[in-house]
Amino acid sequence: GMTMTQQPNDTVADPHAVTAAEDQLKSEHARMGDLLERVGGTDDLETLAPLPKQLHTQLRHHFAREEYPGGLYDSMGACVPEFRASIRVLVDDHFRMLAQVRGLASRAEEGGDAVREVVLAEVNDLIGFIRDHEAREHEMADTARQRAGGG
């Protein structure tokens, strides 16, 4: 197959690339939204316990696609060079989210009333963090698409 020898900054400002990446972003965010609703929709730890692991797997794959050469972040950075610092923040968010989800997974599996309140508070924080992150991504993707001439 083709090898990707492309350096991140070789990516050209391509409205089609941004639009395709943004469409994928929206559908993946919608799919993860379903899982997040299940995570946030229960206060029963036994129901919750297996979900953070599923979320961790979905997030990891999703982040890898966003961060991949030629992916969303690459095409956004090509269209809007001044986004590079904001993109670094988004990548940093990814590490923080995965760490939070791992912590949540182990506490939810512990179970028991002692951790219940902590777990439910963490679920709220995590969902808020993810929603805020998604909103920033969508806003940046919109700007990048407009800058690239994609209307």
Side-chain angles (χ1 to χ4, degrees), residues 94-108:
H94 289 173
F95 285 104
R96 286 172 51 209
M97 279 179 211
L98 290 174
Q100 280 187 25
V101 174
R102 279 195 300 272
L104 186 60
S106 63
R107 276 182 286 281

Side-chain angles (χ1 to χ4, degrees), residues 106-128:
S106 63
R107 276 182 286 281
E109 280 172 6
E110 256 173 66
D113 288 339
V115 294
R116 189 168 168 273
E117 292 306 311
V118 175
V119 166
L120 296 180
E122 281 183 0
V123 165
N124 275 331
D125 287 348
L126 176 69
I127 290 174

Side-chain angles (χ1 to χ4, degrees), residues 60-121:
R60 215 162 31 88
H61 291 301
H62 175 64
F63 297 159
R65 279 191 288 276
E66 289 181 334
E67 295 173 18
Y68 194 75
L72 178 72
Y73 289 1
D74 213 5
S75 34
M76 288 197 308
C79 296
V80 192
E82 66 270 25
F83 271 178
R84 298 226 165 100
S86 303
I87 289 169
R88 279 196 291 276
V89 173
L90 292 176
V91 172
D92 193 51
D93 282 354
H94 289 173
F95 285 104
R96 286 172 51 209
M97 279 179 211
L98 290 174
Q100 280 187 25
V101 174
R102 279 195 300 272
L104 186 60
S106 63
R107 276 182 286 281
E109 280 172 6
E110 256 173 66
D113 288 339
V115 294
R116 189 168 168 273
E117 292 306 311
V118 175
V119 166
L120 296 180

Side-chain angles (χ1 to χ4, degrees), residues 15-29 62 66 71-73 75-76 134-135 137-146 150-151:
H16 299 294
V18 181
T19 304
E22 194 181 17
D23 287 346
Q24 185 185 37
L25 180 77
K26 284 179 176 155
S27 69
E28 289 188 12
H29 281 177
H62 175 64
E66 289 181 334
L72 178 72
Y73 289 1
S75 34
M76 288 197 308
E134 287 180 343
E137 271 177 350
H138 286 296
E139 199 178 311
M140 287 165 69
D142 284 341
T143 303
R145 197 184 59 243
Q146 286 160 12

